Amino acid sequence: MFNTLPLILILLISSVCAVALFRALNLPAMLAYFLVGLALGPHTFGLLPDSEANREFAEFGIVFLMFSIGLEFSLPQLYAMRKKVLGLGGGQVLITLALTMVISKLAGLSWATAFVIGAALAMSSTAIVSKILAERIDLNSRHGRLSIGVLLFQDIAVVPMLVLIPALGIANAHLMDVLGLALLKAIAMLLLLFTIGKWLINPWFNLVASQRSRELFVMNVLMVTLLLAFATKLAGLSYALGAFIAGMLISETKFRYQVESDISPFRDILLGLFFISVGMLINLEQIYDHSGLIVLILLGFILFKALIVGAVVRFFKYEAGVAIRTALILAQAGEFSFVILALGAEHKLISGVALQSVLAASLLSMVIAPFLIQYNGRIARRLVGSYTRNSSKVVEEIEESGRQLHDHVVICGYGRSGQYLGRFLREEKIPYIALDIDPARVLEAAAAGENVMFGDAARRVVLTAAGCARAKALIISYADNRAAMKILHIAQESYPQLPVIVRTVDDSHMEQLRAAGAAEVVPEILEGSLMLASHALMLLGVPLNRVVKRIRLFREERYKLFKGYFHGASDTDNEDIEKQQVRLHSVIITNSAFAIGRSLDDMQLDVFDVEVKTIRRPNSNGAELSTSSLLAEGDVIVLLGQTTGLANAENALLIGRIATK
């Protein structure tokens, strides 16, 4: 204990300080763990022993990383993105792997070592790319979606690589026999687990969850993950494959998101420990002795990988600017590069100068990556003049269409929701212009005569070109909270009087979006639930007027634009309930009203628990007055409140006294 505790404290203090520093510099925490491993490892200060036990413990980081990948794996998503995933991703990984193996073999390395290097360099960093693209609101752009599609294939491709590397490490064995046997084992394991395992996992998780014990639930997840990892290891495969399968099995259950939340602390800490163990592999003396070679590998690797990605994107008929942007985003190594290199080193497939050079070049590429991704658009515009002209042309086309519109609606996103909205607006003869970044969708919709233009609504110049200064409303119809926040920021800054309606998936961000300036936020799940409830109640025999009132009351609670309603003769609610309901009421200032010559600020109507919604003056083109304006005969004041409060407020305005209850 005396020897172990100081080491743990040194490790924790170093990790906390390094991660905090790298977070402050907007650099990946993974690089901080590498730095800790390098500083404390056997090749530097030697505070951390490079023991077999430590390496095996650190390997659990890979186990939980692969478990998370399996948990997020989705066959429907894979099918929906099959062109980007299988086409672009498959092309990039296979070409990078094949060419790197050829170059490595020409450099005098064995085929097994060449495979490890090629597999490592074929990977890109999901953590860095997704984080920066999300911050830049670029996930839904063409280059963003292409990049995510390629990364998704890389995550899948790493599974067979982790099966092949241990097989390649078996000494004095025929290569094809070993690979064939490993493949058969993997297929048998998958079939077994996805037939019997899928049948067992749901009832077992239901049984554990029914105990309502969080620690039992977490222990169960750990048990299932490690049990399957151990089973694949016994079969002569890797721990990581079993963990990946465990994640895929659990992703089919309703507990997927709870598991992801509970397991993330274990995963992040153990993954940090794994990257510390990789940092311990770095030998600064060897790196210094071969610094020229490492710089050459680094520059050659980034250029080489960017050329492959760019060529594959161009092959799939995307324009040169998009190809360059995607290439720059994916030109670095990734987290799985170190997993592959560490596994290769463990099975004696790569060592010495080859390991140190590829390890150092991969690390440096990830340090450079944030800067390349940050300026990918600027670099693409510098290299390809047509890309700049195309961007300007897009804005000019939107401006030409928007110039003809006044009192129109600007729709951001023309997916299903945007298209349904467009149909309603056309029925009501309300002009609109829609913006979307899917070229295929834009071409088809435009060919059908709909006013939809290609453009990124999160850019100020695009919103200006769409005529937001003259628009009556701006509607964000796609559920992306980051993009919505950016559009709201632009709208509040440039068009503060323009009402913005935002669609979201659920109601978790309603208040945040309202605080950012949204006039209303419409949660998709909530509205779907209301429609479901209304149909169910009517089928159960509840009268239609009661169903409508239930839905109306619920909307009043959730949406400020639905808050209150004007009472009519058809409203036959119970009198006691009616007094408690919030409603709208218009008060017309007569020629003898007490409020004439006074402002609403002077009247202090808030003492009656009512809210002033609008103040309108006849013959003023519908302009609204403020609460500090002096009232005159004919002014109409719309109040929101309960029955008693509205009666008291009306009497205060007209005769200067409170009504009796």
Side-chain angles (χ1 to χ4, degrees), residues 583-594:
R583 64 173 62 181
L584 294 170
H585 179 57
S586 297
V587 178
I588 302 172
I589 303 300
T590 59
N591 58 1
S592 59
F594 176 79

Side-chain angles (χ1 to χ4, degrees), residues 297-335:
I297 292 173
L298 171 66
L299 296 176
F301 159 57
I302 290 176
L303 183 61
F304 168 71
K305 192 168 181 182
L307 285 172
I308 291 173
V309 173
V312 172
V313 173
R314 286 289 286 157
F315 178 79
F316 281 88
K317 310 297 184 191
Y318 289 93
E319 63 182 280
V322 174
I324 290 173
R325 296 189 76 167
T326 309
L328 292 171
I329 288 168
L330 297 173
Q332 79 291 134
E335 299 83 8

Side-chain angles (χ1 to χ4, degrees), residues 391-637:
S391 297
S392 303
K393 188 180 176 184
V394 164
V395 174
E396 286 170 10
E397 288 175 355
I398 296 170
E399 195 168 26
E400 187 178 341
S401 180
R403 196 181 295 123
Q404 305 166 13
L405 299 172
H406 292 273
D407 291 336
H408 59 291
V409 175
V410 178
I411 303 173
C412 303
Y414 208 59
R416 249 182 330 187
S417 299
Q419 289 170 41
Y420 288 144
L421 174 61
R423 289 171 197 168
F424 279 109
L425 294 174
R426 283 198 302 277
E427 290 292 325
E428 294 296 324
K429 296 183 171 51
I430 297 172
Y432 71 88
I433 180 171
L435 303 169
D436 200 281
I437 56 173
D438 188 326
R441 181 185 293 151
V442 170
L443 284 173
E444 286 196 24
E450 299 180 23
N451 192 21
V452 55
M453 307 294 293
F454 178 81
D456 184 358
R459 292 178 61 200
R460 189 185 304 271
V461 67
V462 171
L463 290 177
T464 302
C468 280
R470 304 180 303 279
K472 208 165 188 177
L474 175 69
I475 299 174
I476 303 170
S477 69
Y478 55 88
D480 184 335
N481 290 318
R482 284 179 176 271
M485 291 295 287
K486 188 172 181 179
I487 295 169
L488 282 167
H489 174 72
I490 295 169
Q492 282 293 295
E493 197 173 82
S494 304
Y495 321 105
Q497 302 305 318
L498 180 66
V500 183
I501 300 172
V502 181
R503 170 197 160 208
T504 63
V505 174
D506 53 38
D507 58 355
S508 58
H509 294 91
M510 283 183 74
E511 295 308 319
Q512 182 187 1
L513 291 164
R514 281 177 179 168
E520 193 55 272
V521 182
V522 182
E524 194 174 65
I525 291 175
L526 186 64
E527 281 302 310
S529 300
L530 289 178
M531 290 303 296
L532 181 66
S534 62
H535 283 285
L537 289 172
M538 284 190 288
L539 283 173
L540 292 169
V542 179
L544 177 61
N545 66 332
R546 198 186 304 169
V547 172
V548 170
K549 284 172 187 172
R550 291 277 184 206
I551 300 299
R552 182 192 67 208
L553 287 171
F554 188 86
R555 283 202 174 108
E556 284 175 12
E557 291 176 7
R558 304 301 296 179
Y559 301 141
K560 63 180 181 181
L561 293 183
F562 282 105
K563 199 88 170 176
Y565 68 101
F566 292 105
H567 188 67
S570 62
D571 293 304
T572 56
D573 292 329
N574 178 281
E575 187 178 348
D576 292 332
I577 297 174
E578 188 66 27
K579 285 181 180 179
Q580 296 174 4
Q581 287 185 348
V582 176
R583 64 173 62 181
L584 294 170
H585 179 57
S586 297
V587 178
I588 302 172
I589 303 300
T590 59
N591 58 1
S592 59
F594 176 79
I596 290 177
R598 295 179 171 85
S599 71
L600 287 177
D601 289 338
D602 297 332
M603 299 297 298
Q604 297 181 346
L605 297 181
D606 56 340
V607 299
F608 307 121
D609 291 327
V610 299
E611 180 186 342
V612 177
K613 299 299 290 182
T614 56
I615 315 165
R616 295 192 176 273
R617 179 161 291 170
N619 304 318
S620 61
N621 296 322
E624 291 187 13
L625 305 179
S626 69
T627 55
S628 60
S629 304
L630 297 180
L631 298 172
E633 181 185 350
D635 287 349
V636 179
I637 302 164

